[in-house]
Amino acid sequence: MKALSITKLFFTIVTFVSLSVSLQAGELERAYQKEYAFLKAQKAELEKRLEIDTVQQANELQASKEKVEALQAQLLEVSEKTKVSSEKLEKLSKMLAEKEDNGGLTGNVVNQARLALEPYGVKIADVNTTNDVEKIKQAFGRSITLYSELSSLRNEKGAFYLPDGKKVQGDIVKVGNIAAYGIAKEAAGALAPAGDGNYKLWNAVGSSDDAKAMFAKEKTETIDIFAYENLDKEVDYVTEKTFVDTMEDGGIIGYIIFALGLFGLVLLGLRVINLMRASTNVQDITQIVVEKVESGKKDEALDAIKGFEGSTARVIKSTLRNIDKNREHVEDVIMENILNESTQIDKFGSFVLVIAAVAPLMGLLGTVTGMIETFEVITEFGTGDPKLLSGGISAALVTTMQGLIVAIPLLLIGNLLSGWAQSIKDSMEQKALHIVNLYEKYRG
Amino acid sequence: MRSIEAKMLSPFELIGRFVELMNTGGVVMWVLFILNFFLWYGLGYRYFILNRGTKGNVRRLINKHEKRGEAQAMRGMLDYAVADALQAAQEAKEIGANMRKHISGVLLPYYSDVNSYRIMIRTIVVLAPLVGLLGTVMGMIETFDALQSSSMFAQGASISGGISKALFTTELGLVVAVPGLIIGRVLDRKAERYELEFEQITDIISTKDAE
């Protein structure tokens, strides 16, 4: 019952409200329309304004863009210009440095030329008014003139020293700037530096014909010439190397080799005497003995050769003494005798060959020690002076030469004597056996 | 320096050139020349003495000699050796001596013949390079002496003269030694073969008659 009454109430309220709303609706409609019209007008106005603004802004934007572009182009142009000018600047500064360098170089060249040409009495102007090019031109021009002058063969009057120290006047033929010939009444020949620009007659080889030919500008097939570097330093005369000088070059080892050589020669001499003794009378002895033995007279044969000395004689004597014994025994006796004699015959033989083998080795030793000394000198004084080097080497080589000079004859003669000794031994055996055979033949 | 020209030179010119060439090398060249002369004399002598003549083996040779006797032609050393050995065998038979010893006694001179000049050839082959070396050393001494005095004389002591001496002598030393070494070795082999064959002769003859 209660629910029914609430529904009833709700319906009454709704009916009431709806009645009042429908009363107001007409009024609201009118207000709304009024408002709507007003807003619409406002909107149109705003839209119009917006449109105008947009156009204006676009125009402005365009203008600024163009401006920026113009500015950018300008900037580019300017930076390009800067680059070019900086490059130019760099180039210029480089050129400047080069010019400065060249200036220094030219100055140096000119100075050098001045110094080099001064000894020959040629001067190059040193005034500020002449520029570098002029100076260089002058230096080169004068150098070329001097060069062609110096490299020619020219005859001059002058003085030079003779080997005995006398100064003589005469003609001097200068070959370029490296050699000279002197012709005076007293003597003529190649000239060598005597120090301080003076000349002296070179004594090594007689070259007066060459000097005269050079003076007359004749052609010769070969010329003797003494070439020098400059005239400031005196060159020592070449003295003919004597035996004593050579020995001194060889030093201690040279003397040892020399002594070995002498010793070897003495031994060879003794050996030759030995062999001569052993072999001189072989022919006579065999002839006598063969004659007697063929007819069986062995005692007579022994008597006949009693007076003979030497190895062969001894061997044949002992053969004859034992000839009656059987063959084996006789042969043993012969061999034993030959063996005995061969110590005498071969005496000194191997020793000589040992000396011949040792001498070149000693020479090599001397050369090596000499070289070591030479190079010690060089480590101390440097290689500036070729004389130190070449003189040392030539002295060092002397011992090798000595060694070979000793070894070669000793080897040759020693070997030949060994051959001789061998042939003596062979012939002794041969002769003794021959006699034995003859005797056996006689006995039958 | 000295170009060999194609045109013919007269003998005198040739000799002149030869002497000139030899003199560039100095004294040592002449020593080598003389050594060379002796060397080739020895080699030639040895070659002719070792000339074999008969080919074929020793046994057949002995048979031939036994059959033909004096009629057999003597062509070389081996023939003579066989003939002598046979004669010695005959003798030994007659006197009743030891045949082998008798024969080897007869053959002894052949051994020394076969080895004649052998030592000389060997010595020269060893010596020639040594002499060449000596020449080289002398040339170098001359060169360095000339360097020391800085003189360039074309003749006599000079740099170029010393160097040419040094080179020529070594060259000639080797030119002398090398053929001597080779031919000498060949001849030595020949001689060794001969010695073997002599022994063979002794063996064959002495055993043959014992049978």
Side-chain angles (χ1 to χ4, degrees):
Chain A
M1 259 318 267
K2 209 178 178 184
L4 191 73
S5 59
I6 290 171
T7 316
K8 260 185 192 167
L9 182 70
F10 180 70
F11 268 109
T12 26
I13 290 167
V14 169
T15 318
F16 186 73
V17 169
S18 51
L19 271 178
S20 63
V21 166
S22 56
L23 265 179
Q24 282 175 350
E27 234 174 289
L28 274 170
E29 180 91 349
R30 258 175 281 141
Y32 175 73
Q33 270 176 354
K34 212 174 156 190
E35 193 65 30
Y36 177 71
F38 174 72
L39 283 175
K40 205 176 177 180
Q42 220 167 20
K43 187 195 165 193
E45 200 183 328
L46 278 174
E47 268 177 356
K48 204 176 169 189
R49 215 197 265 170
L50 184 70
E51 206 171 303
I52 290 164
D53 273 0
T54 314
V55 170
Q56 207 178 338
Q57 264 182 3
N59 281 344
E60 270 172 22
L61 199 66
Q62 187 69 27
S64 358
K65 251 186 194 167
E66 271 165 15
K67 242 187 199 169
V68 167
E69 257 166 38
L71 280 173
Q72 259 176 349
Q74 222 176 335
L75 183 67
L76 214 64
E77 207 178 314
V78 170
S79 68
E80 198 73 24
K81 264 186 193 163
T82 336
K83 215 173 159 186
V84 170
S85 12
S86 71
E87 266 172 17
K88 259 187 191 162
L89 187 68
E90 211 173 304
K91 229 184 241 174
L92 281 173
S93 65
K94 235 185 220 171
M95 260 161 87
L96 183 67
E98 244 169 60
K99 281 258 162 68
E100 267 170 9
D101 268 7
N102 283 346
L105 219 61
T106 325
N108 277 345
V109 169
V110 172
N111 276 339
Q112 259 176 11
R114 195 172 288 134
L115 278 176
L117 294 177
E118 213 176 75
Y120 299 100
V122 178
K123 280 199 179 120
I124 295 164
D126 189 18
V127 199
N128 283 336
T129 48
T130 51
N131 60 19
D132 279 351
V133 178
E134 281 300 313
K135 278 183 199 167
I136 290 262
K137 265 188 189 166
Q138 210 175 21
F140 273 101
R142 293 202 176 153
S143 301
I144 287 165
T145 326
L146 186 67
Y147 182 71
S148 63
E149 211 174 282
L150 286 179
S151 62
S152 63
L153 194 68
R154 56 200 190 282
N155 297 341
E156 288 173 8
K157 291 277 175 200
F160 57 90
Y161 293 98
L162 294 180
D164 56 15
K166 216 174 102 187
K167 195 171 189 179
V168 290
Q169 294 290 328
D171 294 298
I172 291 178
V173 185
K174 286 188 178 167
V175 183
N177 208 24
I178 54 147
Y181 290 91
I183 297 112
K185 266 180 284 172
E186 290 85 350
L191 296 180
D196 298 328
N198 293 318
Y199 289 106
K200 64 182 179 185
L201 199 65
W202 186 240
N203 66 342
V205 182
S207 49
S208 63
D209 290 342
D210 289 325
K212 277 164 193 158
M214 293 296 270
F215 184 65
K217 296 204 159 59
E218 285 165 6
K219 265 196 179 168
T220 50
E221 210 160 277
T222 58
I223 51 162
D224 291 336
I225 197 163
F226 187 96
Y228 50 78
E229 260 175 72
N230 54 41
L231 290 172
D232 301 339
K233 226 192 268 172
E234 178 166 8
V235 172
D236 295 328
Y237 279 129
V238 175
T239 45
E240 197 62 32
K241 266 199 171 175
T242 59
F243 177 71
V244 178
D245 288 337
T246 315
M247 285 308 293
E248 269 173 13
D249 275 346
I252 298 170
I253 290 174
Y255 286 111
I256 294 173
I257 292 171
F258 185 64
L260 273 179
L262 280 184
F263 188 49
L265 272 186
V266 169
L267 290 185
L268 279 184
L270 288 176
R271 187 139 198 245
V272 169
I273 293 168
N274 263 346
L275 291 178
M276 294 251 279
R277 261 205 219 138
S279 67
T280 40
N281 41 26
V282 175
Q283 221 55 44
D284 298 340
I285 294 172
T286 34
Q287 209 178 342
I288 295 166
V289 173
V290 164
E291 268 173 27
K292 307 266 175 185
V293 167
E294 260 176 335
S295 47
K297 301 172 207 156
K298 59 147 187 139
D299 291 322
E300 270 181 40
L302 202 54
D303 278 339
I305 59 164
K306 216 167 203 173
F308 288 103
E309 289 279 322
S311 303
T312 316
R314 279 197 290 276
V315 171
I316 289 179
K317 275 180 207 165
S318 66
T319 311
L320 286 174
R321 272 199 291 275
N322 294 295
I323 207 162
D324 280 327
K325 288 170 186 153
N326 74 17
R327 173 92 191 201
E328 305 283 315
H329 187 79
V330 177
E331 273 184 18
D332 283 348
V333 168
I334 292 171
M335 288 302 154
E336 198 188 309
N337 265 293
I338 288 172
L339 212 63
N340 230 355
E341 296 301 329
S342 66
T343 46
Q344 179 70 20
I345 289 171
D346 287 337
K347 216 174 192 177
F348 310 131
S350 53
F351 197 72
V352 167
L353 293 183
V354 166
I355 291 178
V358 164
L361 290 180
M362 290 289 285
L364 191 62
L365 176 68
T367 299
V368 172
T369 46
M371 289 286 184
I372 291 171
E373 275 170 30
T374 307
F375 284 107
E376 267 172 10
V377 169
I378 284 170
T379 42
E380 209 166 315
F381 297 104
T383 49
D385 193 355
K387 285 181 185 183
L388 286 177
L389 185 63
S390 44
I393 291 174
S394 102
L397 284 174
V398 164
T399 52
T400 302
M401 182 179 77
Q402 286 171 328
L404 288 172
I405 286 176
V406 164
I408 289 167
L410 286 188
L411 199 62
L412 179 67
I413 302 172
N415 267 338
L416 292 183
L417 290 185
S418 295
W420 189 10
Q422 190 58 47
S423 72
I424 288 173
K425 278 188 272 180
D426 285 352
S427 84
M428 281 197 311
E429 189 183 347
Q430 205 181 309
K431 295 275 150 66
L433 285 176
H434 183 55
I435 289 163
V436 173
N437 283 347
L438 281 177
Y439 192 69
E440 277 184 350
K441 202 171 169 187
Y442 162 77
R443 274 196 312 189
Chain B
M1 195 168 70
R2 283 172 189 78
S3 59
I4 296 157
E5 283 152 36
K7 65 172 184 185
M8 284 293 287
L9 294 166
S10 76
F12 283 112
E13 272 178 314
L14 273 176
I15 291 170
R17 284 207 170 191
F18 174 72
V19 170
E20 195 188 334
L21 190 72
M22 294 297 277
N23 279 335
T24 34
V27 189
V28 171
M29 293 287 268
W30 293 105
V31 174
L32 277 172
F33 182 67
I34 293 165
L35 280 181
N36 193 28
F37 180 77
F38 278 111
L39 173 70
W40 283 97
Y41 174 73
L43 287 176
Y45 186 91
R46 237 163 118 62
Y47 176 75
F48 283 113
I49 232 184
L50 294 177
N51 201 3
R52 210 176 144 73
T54 353
K55 293 190 174 65
N57 69 13
V58 180
R59 199 177 285 275
R60 274 177 59 197
L61 192 66
I62 292 169
N63 281 338
K64 266 189 200 168
H65 274 272
E66 274 186 326
K67 257 185 226 157
R68 296 185 196 165
E70 299 281 313
Q72 170 70 23
M74 298 296 196
R75 290 205 195 84
M77 183 147 51
L78 221 49
D79 281 302
Y80 287 101
V82 170
D84 278 3
L86 283 173
Q87 207 186 337
Q90 199 67 34
E91 271 174 24
K93 213 186 268 175
E94 279 166 19
I95 59 175
N98 184 330
M99 190 176 289
R100 182 182 291 271
K101 296 237 157 115
H102 209 79
I103 292 170
S104 52
V106 169
L107 289 183
L108 260 184
Y110 287 99
Y111 280 96
S112 49
D113 272 356
V114 152
N115 285 322
S116 54
Y117 288 114
R118 187 183 191 161
I119 291 178
M120 192 186 82
I121 289 169
R122 281 200 177 175
T123 310
I124 292 178
V125 163
V126 172
L127 226 54
L130 272 185
V131 175
L133 185 63
L134 175 66
T136 303
V137 172
M138 287 166 110
M140 292 319 276
I141 289 175
E142 193 180 310
T143 305
F144 283 112
D145 272 347
L147 258 179
Q148 191 184 13
S149 63
S150 66
S151 56
M152 287 198 259
F153 277 90
Q155 284 110 31
S158 67
I159 296 171
S160 56
I163 291 174
S164 80
K165 231 179 233 184
L167 297 180
F168 270 120
T169 48
T170 307
E171 188 191 2
L172 190 65
L174 291 176
V175 165
V176 169
V178 170
L181 185 69
I182 294 168
I183 299 175
R185 188 57 62 82
V186 170
L187 292 176
D188 280 357
R189 289 290 293 274
K190 241 181 173 177
E192 276 164 26
R193 203 171 147 197
Y194 266 105
E195 284 179 6
L196 274 178
E197 276 166 348
F198 290 151
E199 272 167 35
Q200 242 179 315
I201 290 171
T202 321
D203 282 349
I204 291 170
I205 294 178
S206 51
T207 49
K208 193 178 246 172
D209 284 33
E211 280 162 9

